[in-house]
Amino acid sequence: MEGQALPAGTATADVAVAFGPFSLYPGRHGLLKDGEPLSIGSRALEILIALVEQAGELVSKDDLTARAWPNATVEESNLRAQIALLRKVLGDDQTTPRYVVAVPSRGYRFVAPITRMPLEPAAGELVDNNLPKQLTQVIGREDAIKIVEGRFQRFRIVTIVGPGGMGKTTVGIRVAAQLLSSHKDGICFLDLAPITNPHLLPSILASALRLTETSDDPTRSLIGFLRGKRMLIVFDSCEHILEDAARLAETLLREAPEVAILTTSREALRVEGESVYRLPPLDMPPSAVVLTANDALKYPAIRLFVERAASSGSGYSFDDDEAPVVAHICRQLDGIALAIELAAARVEAFGTRGIAELLNDRLLLLTGGRRTALPRHQTLAAMIEWSYGALSAREQTVLRRLAILGGEFGREAAVAVATDQNNPQSDVPARLADLVAKSLVSVDTQGKGVRYRLLDTTRAFALDKLRQEGETDALVRHLAQYLCTILSHSQDEVETLANEEWMLKYASNINNVRFVLDWAYAVGGDVEIGLAVTVAAIPIWYQLSLVDECMTSVQRALLGIAPGERRDDQARQITQLYRALGLSQAFKIGFAPQALAAFAKAFEISKEFGDLDAQAEALWGLWMAQVGMGEYRESLGTAERFVALGGSGLDRFIGDRMLSMTLFCVGDFRGSRRHADLMMTHDTSAETASAGSVRFRFGQSVSGKIQPAQLLWIQGLPIQAIAAVDSAVEAARASGHAISLCEALARWSCPILVHVGDFAAADKAVTELIDLAKTNALGPWEVFGRCWKATLLIQRGLPDRGVPLLRDGLSELSRVKLFNLYNVRFLGFLADGLSLLGQHAEARTVIEAAINASEEREELWCVSELHRLKGDVMLRGGGDIDSVQRCYLRAFEVARRQDAISWELRAATSLARLAGDHGYPADARATLACVYARFTEGFETADLASVRELLSRMA
């Protein structure tokens, strides 16, 4: 190829470079061999351009890596792989290279002679491609560019579809640049956004192609010019002239067989042979992830924000403290590139925290785009207005009404809120499909059911339009009616539906509930609607373990009730509110008197109106609060009143469960076992599907499986106890209900695993409990978890770490009052740890206080073990041997009287060890052997294995 000298200042983009049989066009990102385009990856081509720009000079590995992978950290092996690909395309031999030579440990050098020449237009051809220059780096769209580019190997027309501001044009321009080398006759880019008369489209394209002479039919002239040419035509922003763009595209594809077309649009052209690529939002971190700055920058949405903020002249610095704030902003903006760029441009004025606070007014906040950008891209509102204005009047109406729905929604909800009440023949499904096609409604078809969603930015715009039209109040009332109807069955189906199915059907309404309640209790709202929706939403709050939100919402509803006479239907609602208040208070602040008072109030109102079902629910809550506060005798009376009400098989199941639990607490293990066995004989299958199946808020099947676990261990059946715990924990985990899982872990799994000596499993259970409680803001359960963690440390021989933690935990437990049942047990562990540290006087004070508290409150389920621990404390402190023996004998007698064989075994073990060390009593081994012989399972658990070893030594 002949060359000529270049004028001074000629840019690389304006030249072609020839070497051997190859022609390289850096500005067009193209490589030809003997005039034919070569297929080469974008990174290998970028490396070749970098080497040719500095032909004959060493280009370091770092420089090449930075050129091919801007703003990314990659291994050196990636560079070697791209060099190998480049050599393959060039036909280069690594042993005797003609083009690219490796300089070991340093970099590479381009060694072939080259000829540079300016690009001259050929007659009748484009001077150059007219792609807009991208002045900023494309971030986070590597996969999209690669996918769309790859589509052109199989399709001649590809459409990039997505909402406004998603970055369709940016991706389209970059794809076109990548395809330049494979379209020898160039690229013609056409921005269709300014076109007001769609019929002029053929003439405008002809003008862009510089066809000076056209007939009366410009389409015919286009065909004549393009036939036989290998060219890519880009139609950008087709959404407002779809029919004309589709007609012209189909004509060109049919009449000019080597022409390819790339289009960007809010919806597909729907022409024959079209491949549609829906551009997703930029990747963002999940909301639950804790991010460092380095971790955050792995997500393109955050990287785009940071780069644009840093380049705005604001002096912005991104660090670990900024990471969660920026992540929140990007999530609020749905990963939309334009919205993120506009937000980043406001950093100088408001700072990131200010932007986060102002995002409720995002349409006003997100202004100030580049002055050179299209007008519709300079503010978010203008961008969405552009899309909204292109809709039909009916589509605009449906979009406005759908904005009342927050988060995801199903077709049923869309029809309910968007149907014109004066037209019973709803066209909403068809209009919804239109809005999906136009990228104004997102759709997710990956799950069991199709789910729809308005992007937050679009929703904010549509809500503003709804207010302007004066439709908000009527539509919120309509939404409230829909919620009360759809949620009326939510409580009944907690146990009859799989958790995933229940969540899909009901939990997605939580944002709608919040929206309606905010409206209902605002000035001009309707507290009657607020009351009804609050009651309807209670099952959702509990299934999602949103205890805080439930408590504040219920308190707000109760405060909104006008004084005076109550209607029967309102009385039912009020009792439900008081029960929900009692439970939410219990799990937020513990079983304090407030919870007890709430359940008592619910019972009083339900009794006044003769509602037996409501009375049963209130008594169940009252009983649970009494057990939690350590009022065991009162709880026994409440359980008996519950049973006296009668009711379904499910009520009898729950009644026996209540009696079994209370009798366990007071140490009546035989009575507890009797009611536990009765509980499991009740057939509740019919009631499970009835309206009353989960009146008591918790999956009773989970509680029924787990309640006998400690009883089984105490009565000498450790394997069955472990199996019961495992089964119930898995059921609670599968339910997705955080409170039920916390209860299963804290009250049953952790103690059983500690008792049997499986410390590894106990450690996992404790960790899961603490993490779960933190995630769901269940403060009392987190305290419980820390107490079990401290106990585990003491049991593992680390009292120096466990004792301070347990002391703090017990102090907190005394404040939150969550299930006092374990307080005395934790006191026993604390006394054990103190004595191991040599703090014998305090240890004795603590253990005696625990015994006194147990006997005063009749909390006798572990009093045998407390007496045994008192003997251990006295023995370590050098106490009188006779006194120690009396403690062990007292423990043994109490355990035998209670039929608590596991406590009995521990007491007999302590007596036998005392005999071995001090020579009496003589029958200690025989007593221990007799107790051991009564066990039928669990011989590998810690207590039984220890006894077996002791008996062997004493033989």
Side-chain angles (χ1 to χ4, degrees), residues 156-171:
R156 291 176 57 210
I157 177 169
V158 179
T159 299
I160 303 172
V161 172
M166 194 62 78
K168 302 182 297 296
T169 299
T170 298
V171 171

PDB file of all heavy atoms in Angstrom, residues 156-171:
ATOM      1  N   ARG A 156     -29.409  -9.798  11.110  1.00  0.00           N
ATOM      2  CA  ARG A 156     -29.046  -8.570  10.407  1.00  0.00           C
ATOM      3  C   ARG A 156     -29.654  -7.338  11.053  1.00  0.00           C
ATOM      4  O   ARG A 156     -29.256  -6.215  10.726  1.00  0.00           O
ATOM      5  CB  ARG A 156     -29.486  -8.659   8.939  1.00  0.00           C
ATOM      6  CG  ARG A 156     -28.683  -9.688   8.134  1.00  0.00           C
ATOM      7  CD  ARG A 156     -29.220  -9.796   6.718  1.00  0.00           C
ATOM      8  NE  ARG A 156     -29.212  -8.509   6.041  1.00  0.00           N
ATOM      9  CZ  ARG A 156     -30.090  -8.164   5.100  1.00  0.00           C
ATOM     10  NH1 ARG A 156     -31.046  -9.000   4.737  1.00  0.00           N
ATOM     11  NH2 ARG A 156     -30.005  -6.979   4.533  1.00  0.00           N
ATOM     12  N   ILE A 157     -30.625  -7.527  11.939  1.00  0.00           N
ATOM     13  CA  ILE A 157     -31.177  -6.385  12.664  1.00  0.00           C
ATOM     14  C   ILE A 157     -31.283  -6.753  14.138  1.00  0.00           C
ATOM     15  O   ILE A 157     -31.832  -7.794  14.500  1.00  0.00           O
ATOM     16  CB  ILE A 157     -32.555  -5.948  12.108  1.00  0.00           C
ATOM     17  CG1 ILE A 157     -33.101  -4.774  12.970  1.00  0.00           C
ATOM     18  CG2 ILE A 157     -33.540  -7.096  12.037  1.00  0.00           C
ATOM     19  CD1 ILE A 157     -34.309  -4.082  12.360  1.00  0.00           C
ATOM     20  N   VAL A 158     -30.704  -5.901  14.972  1.00  0.00           N
ATOM     21  CA  VAL A 158     -30.728  -6.093  16.423  1.00  0.00           C
ATOM     22  C   VAL A 158     -31.236  -4.803  17.053  1.00  0.00           C
ATOM     23  O   VAL A 158     -30.782  -3.706  16.690  1.00  0.00           O
ATOM     24  CB  VAL A 158     -29.330  -6.437  16.982  1.00  0.00           C
ATOM     25  CG1 VAL A 158     -29.398  -6.606  18.507  1.00  0.00           C
ATOM     26  CG2 VAL A 158     -28.785  -7.702  16.329  1.00  0.00           C
ATOM     27  N   THR A 159     -32.177  -4.944  17.987  1.00  0.00           N
ATOM     28  CA  THR A 159     -32.728  -3.784  18.682  1.00  0.00           C
ATOM     29  C   THR A 159     -32.375  -3.859  20.160  1.00  0.00           C
ATOM     30  O   THR A 159     -32.620  -4.874  20.819  1.00  0.00           O
ATOM     31  CB  THR A 159     -34.257  -3.723  18.530  1.00  0.00           C
ATOM     32  OG1 THR A 159     -34.577  -3.612  17.143  1.00  0.00           O
ATOM     33  CG2 THR A 159     -34.825  -2.514  19.270  1.00  0.00           C
ATOM     34  N   ILE A 160     -31.784  -2.787  20.666  1.00  0.00           N
ATOM     35  CA  ILE A 160     -31.499  -2.661  22.099  1.00  0.00           C
ATOM     36  C   ILE A 160     -32.684  -1.942  22.735  1.00  0.00           C
ATOM     37  O   ILE A 160     -32.994  -0.809  22.381  1.00  0.00           O
ATOM     38  CB  ILE A 160     -30.205  -1.870  22.355  1.00  0.00           C
ATOM     39  CG1 ILE A 160     -29.026  -2.531  21.635  1.00  0.00           C
ATOM     40  CG2 ILE A 160     -29.925  -1.760  23.851  1.00  0.00           C
ATOM     41  CD1 ILE A 160     -27.753  -1.704  21.668  1.00  0.00           C
ATOM     42  N   VAL A 161     -33.340  -2.631  23.662  1.00  0.00           N
ATOM     43  CA  VAL A 161     -34.569  -2.123  24.263  1.00  0.00           C
ATOM     44  C   VAL A 161     -34.340  -1.849  25.744  1.00  0.00           C
ATOM     45  O   VAL A 161     -33.616  -2.592  26.414  1.00  0.00           O
ATOM     46  CB  VAL A 161     -35.713  -3.148  24.077  1.00  0.00           C
ATOM     47  CG1 VAL A 161     -36.948  -2.745  24.864  1.00  0.00           C
ATOM     48  CG2 VAL A 161     -36.052  -3.285  22.608  1.00  0.00           C
ATOM     49  N   GLY A 162     -34.961  -0.797  26.257  1.00  0.00           N
ATOM     50  CA  GLY A 162     -34.874  -0.505  27.686  1.00  0.00           C
ATOM     51  C   GLY A 162     -35.519   0.821  28.003  1.00  0.00           C
ATOM     52  O   GLY A 162     -35.841   1.614  27.108  1.00  0.00           O
ATOM     53  N   PRO A 163     -35.732   1.100  29.293  1.00  0.00           N
ATOM     54  CA  PRO A 163     -36.323   2.384  29.691  1.00  0.00           C
ATOM     55  C   PRO A 163     -35.405   3.537  29.342  1.00  0.00           C
ATOM     56  O   PRO A 163     -34.205   3.370  29.097  1.00  0.00           O
ATOM     57  CB  PRO A 163     -36.463   2.249  31.214  1.00  0.00           C
ATOM     58  CG  PRO A 163     -36.307   0.789  31.510  1.00  0.00           C
ATOM     59  CD  PRO A 163     -35.446   0.231  30.429  1.00  0.00           C
ATOM     60  N   GLY A 164     -35.977   4.737  29.352  1.00  0.00           N
ATOM     61  CA  GLY A 164     -35.185   5.926  29.106  1.00  0.00           C
ATOM     62  C   GLY A 164     -34.085   6.096  30.129  1.00  0.00           C
ATOM     63  O   GLY A 164     -34.285   5.877  31.321  1.00  0.00           O
ATOM     64  N   GLY A 165     -32.907   6.480  29.675  1.00  0.00           N
ATOM     65  CA  GLY A 165     -31.785   6.716  30.578  1.00  0.00           C
ATOM     66  C   GLY A 165     -31.006   5.478  30.948  1.00  0.00           C
ATOM     67  O   GLY A 165     -30.032   5.564  31.700  1.00  0.00           O
ATOM     68  N   MET A 166     -31.403   4.308  30.449  1.00  0.00           N
ATOM     69  CA  MET A 166     -30.723   3.074  30.831  1.00  0.00           C
ATOM     70  C   MET A 166     -29.347   2.958  30.177  1.00  0.00           C
ATOM     71  O   MET A 166     -28.489   2.212  30.647  1.00  0.00           O
ATOM     72  CB  MET A 166     -31.581   1.858  30.453  1.00  0.00           C
ATOM     73  CG  MET A 166     -31.141   0.558  31.096  1.00  0.00           C
ATOM     74  SD  MET A 166     -31.241   0.603  32.897  1.00  0.00           S
ATOM     75  CE  MET A 166     -32.991   0.386  33.152  1.00  0.00           C
ATOM     76  N   GLY A 167     -29.121   3.698  29.083  1.00  0.00           N
ATOM     77  CA  GLY A 167     -27.819   3.655  28.420  1.00  0.00           C
ATOM     78  C   GLY A 167     -27.852   2.955  27.080  1.00  0.00           C
ATOM     79  O   GLY A 167     -26.821   2.479  26.598  1.00  0.00           O
ATOM     80  N   LYS A 168     -29.033   2.906  26.434  1.00  0.00           N
ATOM     81  CA  LYS A 168     -29.161   2.207  25.152  1.00  0.00           C
ATOM     82  C   LYS A 168     -28.281   2.835  24.083  1.00  0.00           C
ATOM     83  O   LYS A 168     -27.592   2.137  23.331  1.00  0.00           O
ATOM     84  CB  LYS A 168     -30.635   2.206  24.701  1.00  0.00           C
ATOM     85  CG  LYS A 168     -31.596   1.575  25.677  1.00  0.00           C
ATOM     86  CD  LYS A 168     -33.018   1.568  25.145  1.00  0.00           C
ATOM     87  CE  LYS A 168     -33.589   2.943  24.936  1.00  0.00           C
ATOM     88  NZ  LYS A 168     -33.728   3.718  26.181  1.00  0.00           N
ATOM     89  N   THR A 169     -28.313   4.163  24.007  1.00  0.00           N
ATOM     90  CA  THR A 169     -27.517   4.854  22.984  1.00  0.00           C
ATOM     91  C   THR A 169     -26.031   4.625  23.210  1.00  0.00           C
ATOM     92  O   THR A 169     -25.279   4.360  22.258  1.00  0.00           O
ATOM     93  CB  THR A 169     -27.829   6.359  23.004  1.00  0.00           C
ATOM     94  OG1 THR A 169     -29.216   6.556  22.706  1.00  0.00           O
ATOM     95  CG2 THR A 169     -26.982   7.100  21.989  1.00  0.00           C
ATOM     96  N   THR A 170     -25.602   4.702  24.457  1.00  0.00           N
ATOM     97  CA  THR A 170     -24.184   4.485  24.778  1.00  0.00           C
ATOM     98  C   THR A 170     -23.731   3.116  24.319  1.00  0.00           C
ATOM     99  O   THR A 170     -22.673   2.969  23.683  1.00  0.00           O
ATOM    100  CB  THR A 170     -23.969   4.634  26.294  1.00  0.00           C
ATOM    101  OG1 THR A 170     -24.306   5.976  26.680  1.00  0.00           O
ATOM    102  CG2 THR A 170     -22.530   4.350  26.663  1.00  0.00           C
ATOM    103  N   VAL A 171     -24.521   2.097  24.641  1.00  0.00           N
ATOM    104  CA  VAL A 171     -24.173   0.732  24.236  1.00  0.00           C
ATOM    105  C   VAL A 171     -24.224   0.601  22.725  1.00  0.00           C
ATOM    106  O   VAL A 171     -23.347  -0.011  22.102  1.00  0.00           O
ATOM    107  CB  VAL A 171     -25.110  -0.285  24.914  1.00  0.00           C
ATOM    108  CG1 VAL A 171     -24.900  -1.687  24.340  1.00  0.00           C
ATOM    109  CG2 VAL A 171     -24.882  -0.292  26.419  1.00  0.00           C
TER     110      VAL A 171
END
